[in-house]
Amino acid sequence: FKSRHRIISHKPPNTTNHHIYIHTMNSYNIDSTQLLQDAPSSPKIVRSKLGRTPKKTPTRGDRFIPNRSAMDMEIANYHLTKENTNPQTSEYNERLSQALFDGKLDSKVLAFKSKAPSASQGHISANRTLFSSNLAASKKVATRAIVDKPIKVLDAPGFSDDYYLNVLDWSSQNVVAVGLTDTVYVFDASTGQSTALMSCQDNSISSVNWTQDGNHLAIGMDNGTVELWDAATQRCLNVLRGHERRVGSLAWNGAILSTGSKSGAIHNHDVRVRSSLMSVFQGHSQEVCGLKWNADGTQLASGGNDNLVNIWNISEASPKFTFSDHVAAVKGISWCPWQRDLLATGGGAADRSIKFWNTTTGVCTNSIDTGSQVTQLAWSKNSSCKEIVSSHGYAKNQLAVWKYPSLAQTAELTGHCMRVLCMSQSPDGTKMVTGAADETLCFWDVFPDSTPVVKTVKTAVKPSRSVNVNTMRIR
């Protein structure tokens, strides 16, 4: 008898109604062969050792037999035998178990049925698609729309493919100045008119920078001189000398003009007096490629090809702080307009990071790896929109907008086909102009104005092919 059997005898005359049971031999140790041999020819009642008739087996089973084909015995053994995990080694144990069991540790110790077969590649469930779309629609996040293509493109033949030069600046009078080889052109963004301001012989333009009022332009030369020009009359007012090598960076602080040279020296000139040279800052061993004064004119930040960032007080000959965290040349420098002591700096191709400094304490408060060479930085002037935009060279040649202080990327703007080398901000702070090695100037609508309109959108709005992007030559 391999399983439980139930034998019911014929009901003989003059006997009580009993059933005869033969139970599983393993359960009651009864020799079935002997039982059959001792049985008389006439029916006889054999009572069950239980003393009564067992009830029928319930309709629902009370035993759960695991399906071995749906189980992974090695993983089950791992779950049953592993000891309590030390919190210090939990990350290591997790990585080790993932490597050993190919990420299948979520399987159960006992599996009572096989899993449903996987869907074929490319199959999309209609129910899941409907659920996902409804879920996405219910979680709309208020964000502003940023057009990721330039709103205007100017052809700028002769734009220098040199990382260390700063030949582009946008004035408070809404006029863009750009140095192309040996000539400086000015482009009126209000009227769209462009004219040649000056031209030099046997020399080339290495930097340009407008005064705060937008009336005068400082022009750095490859021979180490700096010329001051009146934009309205197109006359040269003064020539500043003293540098032995090219002047690649300029920064105005009222009537004081700071000039950074390839020799590493920074000269501070008071242009109101005949003997204009006030002081010399010696803090870089290589070319100064980034130079910016803060809003109140008390601190000057300089970045150099020696990978250093120096913070200078106007009345001190030695730097207040020297930051050496970058591992490439530092050209991108920008002071935050709504937080006085916050400075952002960007490193070159070997560094690719943007670092944020507290210039009161000298502490690096934040840093992010952008993935490409950082060439320029600019903060939003709107304090309700705390963002910063960065321009990049190798390898993406893009503009990136970052939230501060989370440093989440808001948008990525593309339009140049070669590295972006220079960037300047419009007077109202909403637009940027960039110059790249592809010999074009691109205008971008990046930041909101002082009264931003918040829109609810899923993704950044991209211009269609029908959008008319103005393209013209600057000369």
Side-chain angles (χ1 to χ4, degrees), residues 192-229:
Q193 299 296 320
S194 62
T195 57
L197 177 65
M198 60 84 67
S199 183
C200 54
Q201 296 179 352
D202 302 327
N203 209 347
S204 60
I205 310 301
S206 55
S207 57
V208 295
N209 194 239
W210 290 99
T211 56
Q212 277 90 342
D213 58 13
N215 294 324
H216 300 89
L217 181 68
I219 304 172
M221 303 290 185
D222 192 61
N223 62 0
T225 61
V226 178
E227 297 184 4
L228 304 181
W229 282 74

Side-chain angles (χ1 to χ4, degrees), residues 347-370:
D351 183 86
R352 305 177 304 178
S353 70
I354 302 174
K355 299 187 185 300
F356 300 85
W357 310 90
N358 184 320
T359 59
T360 300
T361 62
V363 175
C364 180
T365 59
N366 215 334
S367 178
I368 184 172
D369 185 355
T370 65

Side-chain angles (χ1 to χ4, degrees), residues 119-324:
S120 58
Q121 186 175 4
H123 173 75
I124 299 177
S125 172
N127 294 332
R128 181 171 182 176
T129 303
L130 178 62
F131 173 77
S132 302
S133 62
N134 291 338
L135 184 63
S138 64
K139 291 186 177 181
K140 291 182 179 179
V141 179
T143 181
R144 60 191 186 85
I146 301 178
V147 179
D148 63 353
K149 299 298 180 185
I151 58 176
K152 182 186 289 291
V153 178
L154 299 180
D155 189 14
F159 193 94
S160 179
D161 185 9
D162 193 328
Y163 174 82
Y164 302 99
L165 304 186
N166 293 273
V167 294
L168 182 65
D169 196 32
W170 201 335
S171 77
S172 59
Q173 300 289 336
N174 205 22
V175 177
V176 176
V178 57
L180 302 179
T181 314
D182 58 355
T183 305
V184 174
Y185 293 87
V186 290
F187 172 78
D188 192 328
S190 301
T191 63
Q193 299 296 320
S194 62
T195 57
L197 177 65
M198 60 84 67
S199 183
C200 54
Q201 296 179 352
D202 302 327
N203 209 347
S204 60
I205 310 301
S206 55
S207 57
V208 295
N209 194 239
W210 290 99
T211 56
Q212 277 90 342
D213 58 13
N215 294 324
H216 300 89
L217 181 68
I219 304 172
M221 303 290 185
D222 192 61
N223 62 0
T225 61
V226 178
E227 297 184 4
L228 304 181
W229 282 74
D230 187 318
T233 62
Q234 297 187 355
R235 290 189 308 111
C236 179
L237 304 178
N238 199 357
V239 178
L240 307 178
R241 293 180 171 85
H243 289 296
E244 298 178 354
R245 308 183 69 179
R246 72 178 181 185
V247 179
S249 55
L250 302 167
W252 283 97
N253 180 16
I256 298 173
L257 175 63
S258 298
T259 61
S261 171
K262 192 172 183 178
S263 64
I266 300 173
H267 291 184
N268 299 308
H269 297 266
D270 188 344
V271 298
R272 295 170 296 184
V273 297
R274 184 179 296 274
S275 299
S276 61
L277 184 61
M278 297 172 48
S279 60
V280 178
F281 291 160
Q282 296 283 357
H284 293 280
S285 59
Q286 297 186 42
E287 182 168 11
V288 179
C289 48
L291 208 57
K292 289 290 177 65
W293 284 96
N294 65 355
D296 56 12
T298 58
Q299 288 185 329
L300 174 68
S302 62
N305 193 36
D306 53 4
N307 310 342
L308 298 180
V309 177
N310 287 324
I311 307 299
W312 309 84
N313 285 334
I314 190 171
S315 58
E316 298 178 5
S318 58
K320 178 182 179 180
F321 295 113
T322 297
F323 305 136
S324 58

Side-chain angles (χ1 to χ4, degrees), residues 7-22 35 38-49 51-53:
I7 302 177
I8 305 177
S9 66
H10 298 283
K11 184 177 179 182
N14 302 324
T15 60
T16 58
N17 187 14
H18 289 288
H19 295 278
I20 300 175
Y21 288 87
I22 299 176
L35 179 63
D38 296 341
S41 58
S42 60
K44 187 177 179 179
I45 298 173
V46 179
R47 294 183 179 273
S48 167
K49 286 191 176 184
R52 62 177 181 173
T53 303

Side-chain angles (χ1 to χ4, degrees), residues 99-114:
L100 290 175
F101 300 111
D102 195 23
K104 299 178 181 178
L105 276 180
D106 57 345
S107 62
K108 298 179 180 179
V109 175
L110 297 178
F112 301 103
K113 61 181 180 179
S114 301

